[in-house]
Amino acid sequence: MGQNKKLDRILGIDYCISGVCLILLVCVTFFGVIWRYFLNSPFIWQEEVQLGLITWVIYFGASAAFRNGSHIAIDMIVDMFPEKMQKVMDVIIYIVSMGVLGFIFINGISLVQQFIRTSRVTNILRIPTQYIYMAIPIGCVLMAVSYTIYLIRDFKGLNIEEEEEDK
């Protein structure tokens, strides 16, 4: 097995985590609606679980999006430049993105540390909030790694779709 395939499998954890969390989110929401409107017995804990699941879906799903080049981009403007200038723009966009991810990572770590220091828990289920919000710094690291891999593959001229077909 090649190095790229091993790395892709390790980084594929974001697909698993975001996928499982999304399935759970849909199930909790669906059954919450059924219980609330048809059985007149709402889940009092539903909002807390949904908050945690949404947070994990967002940060781990964003990592997968970065690795596949599915992140939000304004390609229309960049595509108007000559090919060499497009590569320069890609590097500039990468540097700005890494700065933003670094900022969010540092503040995410501070937030998790604050929750640990204050022993904050959710109101109903008493889940320590650091477990919910630890997705922020972990997701930022995964996004940075995924975006770096995407950019390197892009500069090498590797097509992501062709690599997927080779698997």
Side-chain angles (χ1 to χ4, degrees), residues 7-117:
L7 182 61
D8 286 342
R9 285 196 177 165
I10 291 169
L11 290 173
I13 191 79
D14 54 14
Y15 281 116
C16 293
I17 291 172
S18 61
V20 167
C21 288
L22 183 60
I23 290 168
L24 290 172
L25 177 63
V26 169
C27 289
V28 166
T29 304
F30 176 77
F31 289 114
V33 168
I34 299 297
W35 259 253
R36 174 182 300 270
Y37 291 107
F38 295 110
L39 302 176
N40 203 23
S41 178
F43 299 145
I44 58 170
W45 47 265
Q46 183 177 359
E47 186 179 347
E48 288 181 3
V49 172
Q50 288 172 321
L51 173 68
L53 292 171
I54 287 170
T55 304
W56 281 71
V57 167
I58 289 170
Y59 283 94
F60 285 89
S63 171
F66 268 95
R67 193 169 50 264
N68 293 316
S70 301
H71 54 281
I72 296 175
I74 307 174
D75 291 335
M76 184 177 78
I77 296 170
V78 175
D79 289 344
M80 293 187 322
F81 292 105
E83 191 171 327
K84 287 185 179 182
M85 187 60 181
Q86 288 178 15
K87 296 294 183 188
V88 171
M89 293 295 291
D90 285 342
V91 171
I92 291 170
I93 292 167
Y94 173 80
I95 292 168
V96 170
S97 297
M98 290 300 113
V100 170
L101 287 173
F103 176 80
I104 296 170
F105 172 79
I106 290 168
N107 285 290
I109 289 285
S110 295
L111 182 67
V112 170
Q113 288 173 337
Q114 179 181 0
F115 288 148
I116 291 169
R117 278 192 312 271

Side-chain angles (χ1 to χ4, degrees), residues 131-145:
Y131 296 139
I132 294 171
Y133 292 102
M134 69 190 321
I136 297 170
I138 294 170
C140 285
V141 168
L142 289 173
M143 281 185 257
V145 170

